[in-house]
Amino acid sequence: MDTEAFYEQVFEVVRLIPRGRVTSYGAVAKALGAPNYSRMVGRAMQFAGKAKPPVPWYRLVNSSGTLSARDQSGSAHRMQELLENEGIEIKNDRIVNFKKLFWDPLIEI
DNA sequence: GCAATGACTGGAG
DNA sequence: CCTCCAGCCATTG
């Protein structure tokens, strides 16, 4: 498969994330059968902003539940607001209770 | 084609 | 919990 198709697969999985839940780059990559493609998942997110239909990119965090993502402004503050709007608490750029809010795509796919 | 880069990860100190 | 490091791979100069 080419990289473009991989990005589409990433968007597909991200769109499956339930409201108020989050997942990690590695988890998505692994769900697509490419455990070493975590960085490519992040690269795909650069296209998420202009993808149609839009993908909830802000529900993707790193393996520690940290808001490693950034919006066009270069900060993760907007991401935090979006997450809090869904009932997720953020403390020091980390998702509170991340272990329980974590959604494993492998369970759904 | 090689070297650097990055929305990552897991292990070691 | 934090930092550093090696492994990872598409993209860019």
Side-chain angles (χ1 to χ4, degrees), chain A residues 26-91:
Chain A
V28 173
K30 189 168 185 173
L32 296 178
N36 303 28
Y37 274 56
S38 54
R39 306 192 77 136
M40 298 306 102
V41 174
R43 191 152 250 305
M45 290 302 101
Q46 293 179 98
F47 294 79
K50 53 181 185 176
K52 303 298 190 287
V55 304
W57 53 269
Y58 50 86
R59 289 179 186 155
L60 270 189
V61 294
N62 62 16
S63 61
S64 303
T66 308
L67 305 186
S68 54
R70 345 173 198 130
D71 55 24
Q72 294 183 333
S73 305
S75 61
H77 294 300
R78 174 155 181 68
M79 180 180 186
Q80 177 173 334
E81 290 185 54
L82 288 166
L83 290 172
E84 290 179 332
N85 189 39
E86 297 194 347
I88 300 176
E89 291 182 69
I90 309 299
K91 184 72 175 179

Side-chain angles (χ1 to χ4, degrees), chain A residues 89-107:
Chain A
E89 291 182 69
I90 309 299
K91 184 72 175 179
N92 192 18
D93 288 343
R94 306 271 177 73
I95 293 176
V96 178
N97 219 358
F98 170 67
K99 199 171 182 180
K100 293 195 173 184
L101 294 176
F102 181 77
W103 179 82
D104 191 346
L106 289 170
I107 299 177

Side-chain angles (χ1 to χ4, degrees), chain A residues 1 6-7 9-11 13 27-35 41 106 109:
Chain A
M1 86 159 77
F6 180 77
Y7 293 159
Q9 295 293 310
V10 174
F11 297 152
V13 174
V28 173
K30 189 168 185 173
L32 296 178
V41 174
L106 289 170
I109 302 178

